Amino acid sequence: MRGLPIRGRNMRKTLCGSTAPSTTSRAQQHPMNPHRQLDVTFARSQFPAFAEPSLEGYAHFENAGGSYPCAPVVQRLHDYYRRLKVQPYYAYPASTEAGEWMDASHVRLAEYLGVTAEEVHFGPSTSQNTYVLAQALRQLLKPGDQIIVTNQDHEANSGAWRRLTREGVVVREWCVDPASGELQIAQLDALLTDRTRLLVMPHASNVVAHINPIAEAAAKARAAGAIVVVDGVAWAPHGLPDVPSLGADVYLFSLYKTYGPHQGLMVVHRDLIEHLGNEGHYFNAYDPRKRLIPAGADHAQVAAAQGIAEYFDALDAHHGGKSASGRAQRVRELLRSAELALLSELLDYLATQKSVRLLGPAKASQRAATVSFVTKVAPPEQIAARLAQHKIMAGHGHFYAKRLVEALGVDAASGVVRLSFVHYTSREEVGALLAALDAVLA
Ligand SMILES: Cc1ncc(COP(=O)(O)O)c(C=O)c1O
């Protein structure tokens, strides 16, 4: 694996690191262009769920479990099922158009991720994608080779890799700080050796939400000759990253948490894919798009996924974006800056609650808009049920980050309360959440 032609990519830092603006007053402003603040009314007008009578009055704070899908995705799914639900890529019109839609999803999402269309792979879920990827990577590993996993990850980016011990691979664990839940970069230095072949880590945790310094960790791992696999599921909804600038060889996330259909997307660097095992049918090995998707593509969902890019296009145009150049960066900054002010409000509020233990960083700049806590007042399930009575949709449990919850000294059987939001969350909804928390935590 050492010496694979996957070196020397652009390592420029992005806003998606821990360098984003932090304070409440500045957070409402666009970090580079103070005139570009999210028009949240416009954003919400692009989501059918906000016009759905049965959801009226409910504030969605379980976005880390699944976001609302945007209108272009819903429309394309509907149209595909009505008009194009035939085998794609044949010469008759419905089939040709179906194939064109699928290809367009590769192209359009690749644009927002800074990669090529061939590097984009759609699978049933991130759990399935990491599972297949681990099988495909297995052939590059020899007994005694070392891989580094974390205990901050969702199990999707953990178990599949840890099971490689069956092949004689040595698993080394990068452990979180038990008080803060953070992965400290100094510890990575101690884990990297000349036998390290792989580093797998999350861009952000789905529980403590700390934004990990991926570019720095990836640079260290790559310098040691390792491949870097990043689970971006808990980060991507807050702004699709420019993947090359992160230095990851593989970047995975889930479209159903990112305003799209129930699919997983993985970016696999073009120089890596040919070294991986072919996990698809043998006669399809020549086609990079089929090598890592043994389940076969869900045609309609792949076809509809381009709707996410169309939504981002509309958002950018509404906020004055005039060309495709720089659009991806403008959109990620727009999403992030919209969340930061509200995130600070929620964190400031929780800091005043003596019964609450916040998990993860207290500073908005260091985390995604996912906020987990435990409280002496009642178990998480009861807190979430009481919040539901106030029409607040919240989650509870360990969210498949069981190792992390345990490392934090929290009983995984009851887990944590999780409140997660995205750019379309309104100030009024956060106000309703704080009022509900006041009642529930009293
Ligand atoms: C951080 C993280 N990684 C991976 C996953 C698994 O994603 P999927 O449901 O697409 O398998 C989740 C799902 O909640 C997650 O939050």
Side-chain angles (χ1 to χ4, degrees):
M1 186 178 324
R2 192 176 268 281
L4 279 178
I6 52 175
R7 302 285 175 264
R9 276 171 275 144
N10 177 11
M11 295 298 288
R12 130 183 95 83
K13 259 191 162 299
T14 66
L15 189 77
C16 303
S18 54
T19 51
S22 62
T23 64
T24 307
S25 54
R26 263 187 302 143
Q28 273 296 65
Q29 298 194 335
H30 186 281
M32 295 190 183
N33 175 358
H35 304 296
R36 266 176 73 104
Q37 289 181 20
L38 181 79
D39 177 353
V40 74
T41 306
F42 174 79
R44 291 164 77 91
S45 75
Q46 305 298 301
F47 287 83
F50 290 117
E52 165 55 41
S54 63
L55 289 169
E56 203 184 327
Y58 281 89
H60 186 9
F61 281 97
E62 225 310 80
N63 288 277
S67 70
Y68 288 147
C70 59
V73 166
V74 176
Q75 188 63 50
R76 282 197 182 272
L77 263 180
H78 177 264
D79 288 354
Y80 191 97
Y81 270 100
R82 195 169 48 86
R83 261 189 335 105
L84 306 178
K85 184 73 181 64
V86 295
Q87 184 69 359
Y89 298 110
Y90 285 130
Y92 44 92
S95 177
T96 306
E97 192 176 348
E100 284 167 358
W101 282 31
M102 291 173 70
D103 291 347
S105 287
H106 283 260
V107 171
R108 294 305 329 281
L109 287 167
E111 283 166 23
Y112 274 95
L113 294 159
V115 300
T116 63
E118 295 68 41
E119 292 172 301
V120 169
H121 304 266
F122 294 98
S125 67
T126 296
S127 303
Q128 175 79 0
N129 284 345
T130 49
Y131 181 89
V132 174
L133 196 65
Q135 300 309 304
L137 254 155
R138 203 161 49 119
Q139 73 166 31
L140 298 178
L141 301 172
K142 294 191 293 297
D145 282 348
Q146 296 174 7
I147 67 174
I148 300 175
V149 300
T150 81
N151 65 350
Q152 198 194 58
D153 274 281
H154 182 285
E155 194 61 17
N157 198 37
S158 200
W161 304 109
R162 289 172 193 261
R163 284 194 289 277
L164 292 174
T165 50
R166 292 176 192 158
E167 322 294 321
V169 168
V170 177
V171 171
R172 308 196 75 195
E173 192 176 48
W174 185 3
C175 293
V176 294
D177 175 280
S180 67
E182 289 176 25
L183 290 169
Q184 286 156 352
I185 199 88
Q187 305 224 345
L188 176 63
D189 291 327
L191 292 169
L192 286 165
T193 73
D194 60 359
R195 293 300 305 266
T196 307
R197 297 291 176 258
L198 183 66
L199 167 66
V200 297
M201 66 182 294
H203 195 162
S205 149
N206 62 334
V207 172
V208 293
H210 186 241
I211 303 165
N212 288 313
I214 296 296
E216 193 181 353
K220 285 174 186 285
R222 284 155 48 101
I227 288 171
V228 179
V229 174
V230 175
D231 174 350
V233 174
W235 178 254
H238 310 288
L240 294 184
D242 178 60
V243 173
S245 68
L246 293 174
D249 299 295
V250 180
Y251 190 90
L252 307 111
F253 65 98
S254 302
L255 295 174
Y256 71 95
K257 300 174 196 279
T258 313
Y259 322 119
H262 202 113
Q263 288 274 284
L265 187 157
M266 69 181 150
V267 172
V268 182
H269 193 272
R270 62 189 161 283
D271 294 337
L272 177 61
I273 193 148
E274 67 197 58
H275 297 272
L276 300 176
N278 168 35
E279 302 302 317
H281 298 312
Y282 74 93
F283 44 79
N284 285 330
Y286 71 94
D287 184 350
R289 246 161 80 168
K290 294 189 170 151
R291 290 174 69 91
L292 297 174
I293 313 295
D298 180 322
H299 298 160
Q301 298 203 62
V302 173
Q306 64 180 297
I308 300 169
E310 292 168 325
Y311 164 58
F312 288 155
D313 295 349
L315 206 55
D316 184 51
H318 179 79
H319 291 84
K322 300 242 180 303
S323 70
S325 163
R327 185 166 54 194
Q329 182 64 9
R330 291 195 298 271
V331 169
R332 63 179 74 99
E333 288 173 359
L334 200 56
L335 303 193
R336 178 65 174 158
S337 59
E339 291 175 2
L340 274 171
L342 301 181
L343 180 55
S344 295
E345 249 176 68
L346 177 55
L347 293 172
D348 290 349
Y349 170 83
L350 289 174
T352 66
Q353 298 299 304
K354 291 201 171 48
S355 71
V356 164
R357 178 185 169 199
L358 171 74
L359 302 170
K363 277 192 185 162
S365 61
Q366 295 176 353
R367 64 188 303 155
T370 295
V371 177
S372 303
F373 67 89
V374 287
T375 168
K376 296 188 193 83
V377 172
E381 185 173 0
Q382 278 181 34
I383 298 287
R386 289 179 201 170
L387 286 172
Q389 287 167 3
H390 292 263
K391 296 195 161 181
I392 300 294
M393 293 151 61
H396 65 89
H398 59 62
F399 302 102
Y400 287 16
K402 189 165 185 277
R403 297 172 202 270
L404 170 62
V405 168
E406 283 167 354
L408 291 166
V410 172
D411 177 12
S414 54
V416 305
V417 182
R418 186 174 73 177
L419 305 165
S420 54
F421 62 94
V422 294
H423 67 284
Y424 57 50
T425 304
S426 68
R427 184 166 290 281
E428 291 70 31
E429 286 174 324
V430 172
L433 170 64
L434 300 191
L437 284 170
D438 251 349
V440 165
L441 296 174

